[in-house]
């Protein structure tokens, strides 16, 4: 059982919804980023999504694009991202970490080397947004063999014909993208999300977590109430971009996690 599986089993036993937080590794610099990442579990975060900075983040809106640029300009690399996970694991061996990003940096490193290094560092799962199910032999299946969950995105345009293919080799949880378009672009509405989550849950036993368009404790509560939990990314990254100290960023994260856990 992976850390992700164990976390969702524990939440289910407690009757709680999951709160997942996304932050960009290395934004605005390594030390400031690590301080926030280390503080996330105490702020109520159940699963950490750690963004791997990349020069061409096609699924992301301006907020996360700029975070990636700041990170890269500060010298962040794939190797330093793995080191950040190692540094986090020195004090926390239970909170699941999902690495979210794009295939190019992984391909450049070499899949086998990357998977060995990721598992050694303490990464539990991958979300690689530009690898469709048709390319599962490329990374998804090798990742699962290496003990990492491979988490797939389902979207409002994933129809009933496509859904089984999306779910086929997915593990850990299903990430439902609540809106069409890029991150941070629009607000998620529980009334729109609920029937889609129900449709996905009818096809899988995996938890369904909803992300994109969640910015407030109220929306976190509303979305988590119709799913197994929610993800907040752009709103947290935006708070960091304003130059707020880690304590203020983490207080905001705590307000969001409190909202999700009320659901």
């Amino acid at each position: 059982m992976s850390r992700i599986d164990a976390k969702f089993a524990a939440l289910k036993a407690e009757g709680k919804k999951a709160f997942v937080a996304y932050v960009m590794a290395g934004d605005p610099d390594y030390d400031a980023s690590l301080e926030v990442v280390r503080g996330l579990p105490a702020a109520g975060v159940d699963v950490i999504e750690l963004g791997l900075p990349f020069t061409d983040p096609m699924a992301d809106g301006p907020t996360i694009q700029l975070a990636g640029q700041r990170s890269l300009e500060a010298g962040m690399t794939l190797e330093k991202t793995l080191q950040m996970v190692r540094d986090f694991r020195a004090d926390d061996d239970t909170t699941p970490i999902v690495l979210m990003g794009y295939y190019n940096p992984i391909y450049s490193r070499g899949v086998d080397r990357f998977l060995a290094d990721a598992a050694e560092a303490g990464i539990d799962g991958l979300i690689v947004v530009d690898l469709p199910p048709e390319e599962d032999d490329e990374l998804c299946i090798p990742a699962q063999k290496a003990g990492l969950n491979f988490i797939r995105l389902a979207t409002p345009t994933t129809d009933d014909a496509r859904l089984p293919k999306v779910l086929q080799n997915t593990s850990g949880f299903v990430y439902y993208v609540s809106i069409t378009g890029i991150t941070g672009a629009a607000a998620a509405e529980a009334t729109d999300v609920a029937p889609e989550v129900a449709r996905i849950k009818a096809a899988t036993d995996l938890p369904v977590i909803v992300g994109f368009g969640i910015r407030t404790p109220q929306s976190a509560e509303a979305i988590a109430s119709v799913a197994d939990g929610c993800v907040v990314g752009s709103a947290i990254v935006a708070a960091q971009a304003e130059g707020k100290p880690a304590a203020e960023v983490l207080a905001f994260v705590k307000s969001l996690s409190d909202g999700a856990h009320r659901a």
Side-chain angles (χ1 to χ4, degrees):
M1 180 181 281
S2 71
R3 289 187 188 93
I4 296 171
D5 297 331
K7 174 58 72 175
F8 279 106
L11 288 167
K12 186 175 183 180
E14 296 171 25
K16 287 177 66 176
K17 302 300 180 76
F19 181 70
V20 183
Y22 170 98
V23 292
M24 177 65 72
D27 175 36
D29 58 54
Y30 189 95
D31 291 339
S33 179
L34 179 59
E35 183 180 3
V36 169
V37 172
R38 280 178 165 157
L40 291 174
V45 174
D46 298 303
V47 179
I48 296 170
E49 265 185 38
L50 190 61
L52 176 62
F54 180 52
T55 52
D56 189 24
M58 62 184 183
D60 292 305
T63 299
I64 291 178
Q65 284 188 25
L66 290 169
Q69 288 179 18
R70 290 191 297 271
S71 176
L72 292 168
E73 287 166 3
M76 202 62 178
T77 62
L78 173 54
E79 180 55 47
K80 288 182 179 179
T81 302
L82 293 173
Q83 185 58 47
M84 182 172 287
V85 177
R86 294 185 192 102
D87 290 344
F88 175 86
R89 286 282 175 235
D91 302 309
D92 187 320
D93 195 41
T94 57
T95 303
I97 295 179
V98 175
L99 191 68
M100 184 171 187
Y102 298 82
Y103 186 45
N104 184 281
I106 296 169
Y107 177 81
S108 297
R109 191 177 187 85
V111 167
D112 291 344
R113 180 186 173 199
F114 166 76
L115 291 174
D117 291 346
E120 174 271 326
I123 289 169
D124 304 293
L126 303 175
I127 300 174
V128 182
V129 299
D130 53 349
L131 273 183
E134 286 74 15
E135 306 297 333
D136 273 358
D137 289 339
E138 190 81 16
L139 181 63
C140 171
I141 291 171
Q144 308 232 41
K145 287 179 179 176
L148 277 70
N149 289 128
F150 199 88
I151 295 140
R152 189 85 67 194
L153 305 182
T155 75
T157 61
T158 305
D159 61 19
D160 289 340
R162 179 66 174 169
L163 186 60
K165 187 72 173 176
V166 169
L167 297 174
Q168 183 174 307
N169 292 312
T170 300
S171 63
F173 60 91
V174 179
Y175 187 136
Y176 178 66
V177 177
S178 65
I179 57 173
T180 54
I182 54 176
T183 56
E189 296 293 341
T191 51
D192 299 328
V193 168
E196 291 299 299
V197 170
R199 183 169 67 92
I200 296 167
K201 287 183 73 65
T204 181
D205 293 330
L206 291 170
V208 179
I209 307 301
V210 177
F212 286 46
I214 303 167
R215 302 189 185 93
T216 66
Q218 293 76 22
S219 60
E221 180 177 3
I223 295 297
S225 72
V226 298
D228 295 302
C230 67
V231 184
V232 178
S234 293
I236 297 169
V237 172
Q240 291 178 279
E242 293 170 8
K244 292 179 178 177
E248 281 189 40
V249 173
L250 292 167
F252 174 56
V253 173
K254 180 70 163 62
S255 73
L256 295 164
S257 70
D258 286 347
H261 291 147
R262 280 195 299 268

